[in-house]
Coordinates of all heavy atoms in Angstrom, one line a residue:
D1040 N 87.9 108.9 86.8 CA 87.3 108.5 85.5 C 88.2 107.6 84.7 O 89.4 107.8 84.7 CB 86.9 109.7 84.7 CG 85.8 110.5 85.2 OD1 85.1 110.0 86.2 OD2 85.5 111.6 84.7
M1041 N 87.6 106.6 84.1 CA 88.4 105.7 83.3 C 88.8 106.3 82.0 O 88.0 107.0 81.4 CB 87.6 104.4 83.0 CG 88.4 103.4 82.2 SD 87.5 101.9 81.8 CE 87.3 101.2 83.5
E1042 N 90.1 106.1 81.6 CA 90.6 106.6 80.3 C 90.9 105.4 79.5 O 91.3 104.4 80.0 CB 91.8 107.4 80.6 CG 91.6 108.7 81.3 CD 92.9 109.5 81.5 OE1 93.7 109.6 80.6 OE2 93.0 110.1 82.6
R1043 N 90.6 105.6 78.2 CA 90.8 104.4 77.2 C 91.7 104.8 76.1 O 91.7 105.9 75.6 CB 89.4 104.1 76.6 CG 89.3 102.9 75.8 CD 87.9 102.6 75.5 NE 87.8 101.8 74.3 CZ 87.3 102.2 73.1 NH1 86.7 103.4 73.0 NH2 87.3 101.5 72.1
Y1044 N 92.6 103.9 75.8 CA 93.7 104.1 74.8 C 93.6 102.9 73.9 O 93.4 101.8 74.3 CB 95.0 104.2 75.4 CG 95.2 105.4 76.3 CD1 94.6 105.4 77.6 CD2 95.8 106.6 75.9 CE1 94.7 106.6 78.4 CE2 95.9 107.7 76.7 CZ 95.4 107.7 77.9 OH 95.5 108.8 78.7
I1045 N 93.9 103.1 72.6 CA 94.0 102.0 71.7 C 95.3 102.1 70.8 O 95.8 103.1 70.6 CB 92.8 101.9 70.7 CG1 92.6 103.1 69.8 CG2 91.5 101.6 71.5 CD1 91.6 102.9 68.7
N1046 N 95.7 100.9 70.4 CA 96.8 100.8 69.4 C 96.3 100.0 68.3 O 96.2 98.7 68.3 CB 98.0 100.1 70.1 CG 99.2 100.0 69.1 OD1 99.1 99.8 67.9 ND2 100.4 100.2 69.7
E1047 N 95.8 100.7 67.2 CA 95.2 100.0 66.1 C 96.1 99.1 65.4 O 95.7 98.0 64.9 CB 94.6 101.0 65.1 CG 93.3 101.7 65.7 CD 92.6 102.6 64.7 OE1 92.8 102.3 63.5 OE2 91.9 103.5 65.1
A1048 N 97.4 99.4 65.3 CA 98.3 98.6 64.6 C 98.5 97.2 65.3 O 98.6 96.2 64.6 CB 99.7 99.2 64.5
K1049 N 98.4 97.2 66.6 CA 98.5 95.9 67.3 C 97.1 95.3 67.7 O 97.0 94.2 68.2 CB 99.3 96.1 68.6 CG 100.7 96.5 68.3 CD 101.5 96.6 69.6 CE 102.9 96.9 69.4 NZ 103.7 97.0 70.6
G1050 N 96.0 96.1 67.4 CA 94.7 95.6 67.7 C 94.5 95.5 69.2 O 93.7 94.7 69.7
K1051 N 95.1 96.4 70.0 CA 95.1 96.4 71.5 C 94.3 97.6 72.0 O 94.3 98.7 71.5 CB 96.5 96.3 72.1 CG 97.3 95.1 71.7 CD 96.9 94.0 72.6 CE 97.9 92.8 72.3 NZ 97.6 91.7 73.1
E1052 N 93.7 97.3 73.2 CA 93.0 98.4 73.9 C 93.5 98.3 75.3 O 93.7 97.3 75.9 CB 91.5 98.1 73.9 CG 90.6 99.0 74.7 CD 89.1 98.7 74.5 OE1 88.8 97.5 74.3 OE2 88.3 99.6 74.6
W1053 N 93.7 99.5 75.9 CA 94.2 99.6 77.3 C 93.3 100.7 78.0 O 93.0 101.7 77.5 CB 95.6 100.1 77.2 CG 96.3 100.2 78.6 CD1 96.7 99.2 79.4 CD2 96.7 101.4 79.2 NE1 97.4 99.7 80.5 CE2 97.4 101.1 80.4 CE3 96.6 102.8 78.8 CZ2 97.9 102.0 81.2 CZ3 97.2 103.7 79.7 CH2 97.8 103.4 80.9
T1054 N 93.0 100.4 79.3 CA 92.2 101.4 80.1 C 93.0 101.6 81.4 O 93.7 100.7 81.9 CB 90.8 100.9 80.4 OG1 90.8 99.7 81.2 CG2 90.0 100.7 79.1
I1055 N 92.7 102.7 82.0 CA 93.4 103.0 83.3 C 92.4 103.9 84.1 O 91.7 104.8 83.5 CB 94.7 103.7 83.1 CG1 95.4 103.8 84.4 CG2 94.6 105.0 82.4 CD1 96.9 104.2 84.3
E1056 N 92.4 103.6 85.4 CA 91.6 104.5 86.3 C 92.2 104.3 87.7 O 92.9 103.4 88.0 CB 90.1 104.1 86.3 CG 89.8 102.7 86.9 CD 88.3 102.4 86.9 OE1 87.5 103.3 87.1 OE2 88.0 101.2 86.8
I1057 N 91.8 105.3 88.5 CA 92.2 105.3 89.9 C 91.0 105.1 90.8 O 90.0 105.8 90.6 CB 93.0 106.6 90.3 CG1 94.3 106.7 89.6 CG2 93.2 106.6 91.8 CD1 95.0 108.0 89.9
V1058 N 91.1 104.1 91.7 CA 90.0 103.8 92.6 C 90.6 103.9 94.0 O 91.4 103.0 94.4 CB 89.3 102.5 92.4 CG1 88.2 102.2 93.4 CG2 88.8 102.4 90.9
G1059 N 90.3 104.9 94.8 CA 91.0 105.2 96.0 C 92.4 105.4 95.8 O 92.8 106.4 95.1
T1060 N 93.3 104.6 96.3 CA 94.8 104.7 96.1 C 95.3 103.6 95.2 O 96.5 103.4 95.1 CB 95.6 104.7 97.4 OG1 95.3 103.5 98.1 CG2 95.2 105.9 98.3
E1061 N 94.4 103.0 94.5 CA 94.7 101.8 93.6 C 94.6 102.3 92.1 O 93.7 102.9 91.7 CB 93.8 100.7 93.9 CG 94.1 99.4 93.2 CD 93.1 98.3 93.6 OE1 92.0 98.2 93.0 OE2 93.5 97.5 94.5
V1062 N 95.6 101.9 91.4 CA 95.6 102.1 89.9 C 95.2 100.8 89.2 O 95.8 99.8 89.4 CB 97.0 102.6 89.4 CG1 97.0 102.8 87.9 CG2 97.5 103.8 90.1
R1063 N 94.1 100.9 88.5 CA 93.6 99.7 87.8 C 93.7 99.9 86.3 O 93.3 100.9 85.8 CB 92.1 99.5 88.2 CG 91.8 99.2 89.6 CD 90.4 98.9 89.9 NE 90.2 98.7 91.3 CZ 89.0 98.5 91.8 NH1 87.9 98.6 91.1 NH2 88.9 98.3 93.1
T1064 N 94.2 98.9 85.7 CA 94.4 98.9 84.2 C 93.8 97.6 83.6 O 93.7 96.6 84.3 CB 95.9 98.9 83.8 OG1 96.6 97.8 84.3 CG2 96.5 100.2 84.3
T1065 N 93.4 97.7 82.4 CA 93.1 96.5 81.6 C 93.8 96.6 80.3 O 94.0 97.6 79.7 CB 91.5 96.3 81.4 OG1 91.1 97.5 80.6 CG2 90.8 96.2 82.7
I1066 N 94.2 95.4 79.8 CA 94.8 95.3 78.4 C 94.2 94.1 77.7 O 94.0 93.1 78.3 CB 96.3 95.3 78.5 CG1 97.0 95.3 77.2 CG2 96.8 94.1 79.3 CD1 97.2 96.7 76.6
G1067 N 93.9 94.3 76.4 CA 93.4 93.2 75.7 C 93.1 93.6 74.2 O 93.4 94.7 73.8
K1068 N 92.5 92.7 73.5 CA 92.2 93.0 72.1 C 91.0 94.0 72.1 O 90.2 94.0 73.0 CB 91.7 91.7 71.4 CG 92.8 90.7 71.2 CD 92.3 89.5 70.4 CE 93.4 88.5 70.1 NZ 92.9 87.4 69.4
I1069 N 91.0 94.9 71.1 CA 90.0 95.9 71.0 C 88.6 95.3 71.0 O 88.4 94.3 70.3 CB 90.2 96.8 69.7 CG1 91.5 97.5 69.8 CG2 89.0 97.7 69.5 CD1 91.9 98.3 68.5
G1070 N 87.7 95.8 71.9 CA 86.4 95.3 72.0 C 86.2 94.1 72.9 O 85.0 93.7 73.2
E1071 N 87.3 93.6 73.5 CA 87.1 92.4 74.4 C 87.4 92.9 75.8 O 87.8 94.0 76.0 CB 88.1 91.3 74.0 CG 87.7 90.7 72.7 CD 88.6 89.5 72.3 OE1 89.4 89.1 73.2 OE2 88.4 89.0 71.2
K1072 N 87.0 92.1 76.8 CA 87.1 92.4 78.2 C 88.5 92.8 78.6 O 88.7 93.8 79.4 CB 86.6 91.3 79.1 CG 86.5 91.7 80.5 CD 85.8 90.6 81.3 CE 85.7 90.9 82.8 NZ 85.1 89.9 83.6
G1073 N 89.5 92.0 78.3 CA 90.9 92.3 78.7 C 91.3 91.8 80.0 O 90.4 91.3 80.8
V1074 N 92.5 91.9 80.4 CA 93.1 91.4 81.6 C 93.2 92.5 82.6 O 93.8 93.6 82.3 CB 94.4 90.7 81.4 CG1 95.0 90.2 82.7 CG2 94.3 89.5 80.4
L1075 N 92.7 92.4 83.8 CA 92.8 93.4 84.9 C 94.1 93.3 85.6 O 94.6 92.3 86.0 CB 91.6 93.2 85.9 CG 91.6 94.2 87.0 CD1 91.4 95.6 86.6 CD2 90.5 93.8 88.0
G1076 N 94.7 94.5 85.8 CA 95.9 94.6 86.6 C 95.7 95.7 87.6 O 95.0 96.7 87.4
T1077 N 96.2 95.5 88.9 CA 96.0 96.5 89.9 C 97.4 96.8 90.6 O 98.2 95.9 90.7 CB 95.0 96.1 91.0 OG1 95.5 94.9 91.6 CG2 93.6 95.9 90.4
R1078 N 97.5 98.1 91.0 CA 98.7 98.5 91.7 C 98.2 99.3 92.9 O 97.7 100.4 92.8 CB 99.6 99.3 90.8 CG 100.2 98.5 89.7 CD 100.9 99.5 88.7 NE 101.6 98.8 87.6 CZ 100.9 98.4 86.5 NH1 99.7 98.6 86.4 NH2 101.6 97.7 85.6
G1079 N 98.4 98.7 94.1 CA 98.0 99.4 95.3 C 99.1 100.4 95.8 O 100.3 99.9 95.9
L1080 N 98.8 101.6 96.0 CA 99.7 102.6 96.5 C 99.3 103.2 97.8 O 98.1 103.0 98.2 CB 99.9 103.7 95.4 CG 100.5 103.1 94.1 CD1 100.2 103.9 92.9 CD2 102.0 102.9 94.2
T1081 N 100.1 103.9 98.4 CA 99.8 104.4 99.8 C 99.1 105.7 99.8 O 98.4 106.0 100.8 CB 101.1 104.5 100.7 OG1 102.0 105.4 100.0 CG2 101.7 103.1 100.9
T1082 N 99.2 106.5 98.8 CA 98.5 107.8 98.8 C 97.9 108.1 97.4 O 98.3 107.5 96.4 CB 99.5 109.0 99.1 OG1 100.4 109.1 98.0 CG2 100.2 108.8 100.4
I1083 N 96.9 109.0 97.3 CA 96.3 109.4 96.1 C 97.4 110.0 95.2 O 97.4 109.8 94.0 CB 95.1 110.3 96.3 CG1 94.0 109.6 97.0 CG2 94.6 111.0 95.0 CD1 92.9 110.4 97.5
E1084 N 98.3 110.8 95.8 CA 99.3 111.5 95.0 C 100.2 110.5 94.3 O 100.5 110.7 93.1 CB 100.1 112.4 95.9 CG 99.4 113.6 96.4 CD 98.5 113.4 97.6 OE1 98.6 112.2 98.2 OE2 97.6 114.2 97.9
L1085 N 100.6 109.4 95.0 CA 101.4 108.4 94.4 C 100.6 107.7 93.3 O 101.2 107.3 92.2 CB 101.9 107.4 95.4 CG 103.0 107.9 96.4 CD1 103.3 106.9 97.4 CD2 104.3 108.2 95.6
A1086 N 99.4 107.4 93.5 CA 98.5 106.8 92.5 C 98.4 107.7 91.2 O 98.6 107.2 90.1 CB 97.1 106.5 93.0
E1087 N 98.3 109.0 91.4 CA 98.3 109.9 90.2 C 99.6 109.9 89.5 O 99.6 109.9 88.2 CB 97.9 111.3 90.7 CG 96.5 111.5 91.2 CD 95.5 111.5 90.1 OE1 95.8 111.6 88.9 OE2 94.3 111.5 90.4
E1088 N 100.7 109.9 90.2 CA 102.0 109.8 89.6 C 102.2 108.5 88.8 O 102.7 108.5 87.7 CB 103.1 109.9 90.6 CG 103.3 111.3 91.2 CD 104.3 111.4 92.3 OE1 105.2 110.5 92.4 OE2 104.2 112.3 93.2
K1089 N 101.8 107.4 89.4 CA 101.9 106.1 88.7 C 101.0 106.1 87.4 O 101.4 105.6 86.4 CB 101.5 105.0 89.7 CG 101.7 103.6 89.1 CD 103.2 103.4 88.9 CE 103.5 102.0 88.5 NZ 104.9 101.7 88.2
K1090 N 99.8 106.6 87.5 CA 98.9 106.7 86.4 C 99.6 107.5 85.3 O 99.6 107.1 84.1 CB 97.6 107.3 86.8 CG 96.6 107.5 85.6 CD 95.3 108.2 86.1 CE 94.4 108.5 84.9 NZ 93.3 109.3 85.3
A1091 N 100.1 108.7 85.6 CA 100.8 109.5 84.6 C 102.0 108.8 83.9 O 102.2 108.8 82.7 CB 101.3 110.8 85.2
Q1092 N 102.7 108.0 84.7 CA 103.9 107.3 84.2 C 103.4 106.2 83.3 O 104.0 106.0 82.2 CB 104.6 106.6 85.4 CG 105.8 105.7 84.9 CD 106.2 104.8 86.0 OE1 105.9 104.9 87.2 NE2 107.0 103.8 85.6
L1093 N 102.4 105.4 83.6 CA 101.9 104.4 82.8 C 101.3 104.9 81.5 O 101.5 104.3 80.4 CB 100.8 103.6 83.5 CG 101.4 102.7 84.7 CD1 100.2 102.2 85.5 CD2 102.3 101.7 84.3
I1094 N 100.6 106.1 81.5 CA 100.1 106.7 80.3 C 101.2 107.1 79.4 O 101.2 106.8 78.2 CB 99.2 107.9 80.7 CG1 97.9 107.4 81.3 CG2 98.9 108.7 79.4 CD1 97.0 108.5 81.9
R1095 N 102.3 107.7 79.9 CA 103.4 108.1 79.1 C 104.0 106.8 78.4 O 104.4 106.9 77.2 CB 104.5 108.8 80.0 CG 104.2 110.2 80.3 CD 105.4 110.9 80.9 NE 106.0 110.3 82.1 CZ 105.5 110.5 83.3 NH1 104.6 111.3 83.6 NH2 106.1 109.8 84.3
E1096 N 104.1 105.7 79.1 CA 104.7 104.5 78.5 C 103.8 104.0 77.4 O 104.3 103.6 76.4 CB 104.8 103.4 79.6 CG 105.9 103.7 80.6 CD 105.9 102.7 81.8 OE1 105.1 101.7 81.7 OE2 106.7 102.9 82.7
K1097 N 102.5 104.0 77.6 CA 101.6 103.6 76.5 C 101.6 104.5 75.3 O 101.6 104.0 74.2 CB 100.1 103.4 77.0 CG 100.0 102.3 78.0 CD 100.3 101.0 77.4 CE 100.2 99.8 78.3 NZ 100.7 98.6 77.8
L1098 N 101.7 105.8 75.5 CA 101.8 106.7 74.4 C 103.1 106.5 73.6 O 103.0 106.5 72.4 CB 101.7 108.2 74.9 CG 100.4 108.6 75.5 CD1 100.5 110.0 76.1 CD2 99.3 108.6 74.5
K1099 N 104.2 106.2 74.3 CA 105.4 105.9 73.6 C 105.3 104.6 72.8 O 106.0 104.4 71.8 CB 106.6 105.8 74.6 CG 107.0 107.2 75.1 CD 108.2 107.0 76.1 CE 108.6 108.3 76.7 NZ 109.7 108.2 77.7
A1100 N 104.5 103.7 73.3 CA 104.3 102.4 72.6 C 103.3 102.5 71.5 O 103.0 101.4 70.9 CB 103.9 101.4 73.7
G1101 N 102.8 103.6 71.2 CA 101.9 103.8 70.0 C 100.4 103.8 70.3 O 99.6 103.8 69.4
F1102 N 100.1 103.8 71.6 CA 98.6 103.9 72.0 C 98.2 105.4 71.8 O 99.0 106.3 72.0 CB 98.4 103.5 73.4 CG 98.4 102.0 73.5 CD1 99.6 101.3 73.5 CD2 97.2 101.2 73.7 CE1 99.6 99.9 73.7 CE2 97.2 99.9 73.8 CZ 98.5 99.2 73.8
V1103 N 96.9 105.6 71.5 CA 96.4 106.9 71.5 C 95.1 107.0 72.3 O 94.3 106.0 72.3 CB 96.1 107.4 70.0 CG1 97.3 107.6 69.2 CG2 95.1 106.5 69.3
K1104 N 94.8 108.1 72.9 CA 93.6 108.2 73.8 C 92.4 108.3 72.9 O 92.4 109.0 71.9 CB 93.7 109.4 74.7 CG 92.6 109.5 75.7 CD 92.8 110.7 76.7 CE 91.7 110.7 77.7 NZ 91.9 111.8 78.7
V1105 N 91.3 107.7 73.3 CA 90.1 107.8 72.6 C 89.0 108.3 73.5 O 89.0 108.0 74.7 CB 89.6 106.4 71.9 CG1 90.6 106.0 70.9 CG2 89.5 105.3 73.0
Q1106 N 88.1 109.1 72.9 CA 87.0 109.6 73.7 C 85.8 108.7 73.5 O 85.4 108.4 72.4 CB 86.7 111.0 73.1 CG 87.8 112.0 73.2 CD 88.2 112.3 74.7 OE1 87.3 112.4 75.5 NE2 89.5 112.5 74.9
D1107 N 85.3 108.3 74.6 CA 84.1 107.5 74.6 C 82.9 108.4 74.3 O 82.9 109.5 74.7 CB 83.9 106.7 75.9 CG 84.9 105.6 76.1 OD1 85.3 105.0 75.0 OD2 85.3 105.3 77.2
P1108 N 81.8 107.8 73.6 CA 80.6 108.6 73.4 C 80.0 109.0 74.8 O 80.2 108.3 75.7 CB 79.7 107.7 72.6 CG 80.3 106.4 72.8 CD 81.7 106.5 73.1
P1109 N 79.2 110.1 74.8 CA 78.6 110.4 76.1 C 77.7 109.3 76.6 O 77.2 108.5 75.8 CB 77.8 111.7 75.8 CG 78.2 112.1 74.4 CD 78.9 110.9 73.7
A1110 N 77.6 109.2 77.9 CA 76.7 108.2 78.5 C 75.3 108.4 78.0 O 74.8 109.5 77.8 CB 76.8 108.3 80.0
A1111 N 74.5 107.3 78.0 CA 73.1 107.4 77.5 C 72.3 108.4 78.3 O 71.5 109.1 77.7 CB 72.5 106.0 77.5
A1112 N 72.5 108.4 79.6 CA 71.7 109.3 80.4 C 71.9 110.8 80.0 O 71.0 111.6 80.1 CB 72.1 109.2 81.9
E1113 N 73.1 111.1 79.5 CA 73.4 112.5 79.1 C 72.8 112.8 77.7 O 72.6 114.0 77.4 CB 74.9 112.7 79.0 CG 75.6 112.6 80.3 CD 77.1 112.7 80.2 OE1 77.6 113.0 79.1 OE2 77.8 112.4 81.2
T1114 N 72.5 111.8 76.9 CA 72.0 112.1 75.6 C 70.5 111.9 75.4 O 70.0 112.2 74.4 CB 72.8 111.2 74.5 OG1 72.5 109.8 74.9 CG2 74.2 111.5 74.5
E1115 N 69.9 111.3 76.4 CA 68.4 111.1 76.3 C 67.7 112.4 76.4 O 68.1 113.3 77.1 CB 68.0 110.2 77.5 CG 68.4 108.8 77.4 CD 67.9 108.0 78.6 OE1 67.1 108.5 79.4 OE2 68.3 106.8 78.7
K1116 N 66.6 112.5 75.6 CA 65.8 113.7 75.6 C 64.8 113.6 76.7 O 64.3 112.5 77.1 CB 65.1 113.9 74.3 CG 66.0 114.1 73.1 CD 65.2 114.3 71.8 CE 66.2 114.6 70.7 NZ 65.5 114.8 69.4
T1117 N 64.5 114.7 77.3 CA 63.6 114.8 78.4 C 62.2 114.8 77.8 O 61.9 115.6 76.9 CB 63.8 116.0 79.3 OG1 65.2 116.2 79.5 CG2 63.1 115.9 80.6
E1118 N 61.3 114.0 78.3 CA 59.9 113.9 77.7 C 59.1 115.0 78.4 O 59.3 115.3 79.6 CB 59.3 112.6 78.0 CG 60.0 111.5 77.1 CD 59.2 110.2 77.3 OE1 58.0 110.2 77.7 OE2 59.9 109.1 77.0
E1119 N 58.2 115.6 77.6 CA 57.3 116.6 78.2 C 56.3 115.9 79.0 O 55.7 114.9 78.6 CB 56.7 117.4 77.1 CG 57.6 118.3 76.3 CD 58.2 119.4 77.1 OE1 57.5 120.0 77.9 OE2 59.4 119.7 76.9
P1120 N 56.0 116.4 80.2 CA 54.9 115.8 81.0 C 53.5 116.0 80.3 O 53.3 117.0 79.7 CB 54.9 116.6 82.3 CG 55.7 117.8 82.0 CD 56.5 117.6 80.8
E1121 N 52.8 114.9 80.4 CA 51.4 115.0 79.8 C 50.5 115.7 80.7 O 50.5 115.6 81.9 CB 50.9 113.6 79.5 CG 51.8 112.9 78.4 CD 51.2 111.5 78.1 OE1 50.0 111.2 78.4 OE2 52.0 110.6 77.6
G1122 N 49.6 116.6 80.1 CA 48.9 117.4 81.0 C 47.4 117.2 80.9 O 46.6 117.5 81.6

């Protein structure tokens, strides 16, 4: 799952996720697309370690994790079937 961090003082947004054994990050202004960076690693364990390292670095730099609102599919109400 993608995790999102922001640094309001700098107006920056950073995301990180693991896809296979690749660590993908984006960095840019809050609300904009940002620049994609990728790091290919040989195992999932190494990818997890790299992700944890990068998160620690961003937290030290003043970024804080933000919770995204639930996906629309999770918040939609189920309609009653018409009978």
Side-chain angles (χ1 to χ4, degrees):
D1040 289 349
M1041 181 180 295
E1042 295 181 38
R1043 187 169 155 248
Y1044 296 78
I1045 62 169
N1046 183 322
E1047 288 188 25
K1049 295 183 179 181
K1051 297 281 185 175
E1052 177 176 27
W1053 181 74
T1054 65
I1055 188 165
E1056 69 178 328
I1057 294 177
V1058 178
T1060 58
E1061 185 176 86
V1062 179
R1063 295 182 183 175
T1064 60
T1065 61
I1066 185 83
K1068 292 182 180 180
I1069 294 173
E1071 294 185 6
K1072 186 176 179 182
V1074 177
L1075 176 65
T1077 59
R1078 292 170 179 83
L1080 298 155
T1081 55
T1082 67
I1083 292 172
E1084 291 79 14
L1085 288 174
E1087 291 287 349
E1088 288 176 21
K1089 186 64 173 179
K1090 177 182 174 185
Q1092 174 197 349
L1093 293 171
I1094 289 171
R1095 283 192 303 273
E1096 290 173 7
K1097 289 298 179 192
L1098 293 174
K1099 285 182 185 177
F1102 283 77
V1103 294
K1104 186 174 183 178
V1105 293
Q1106 300 295 325
D1107 288 326
E1113 295 175 10
T1114 58
E1115 289 180 8
K1116 292 182 180 178
T1117 318
E1118 291 185 22
E1119 293 294 322
E1121 293 183 24

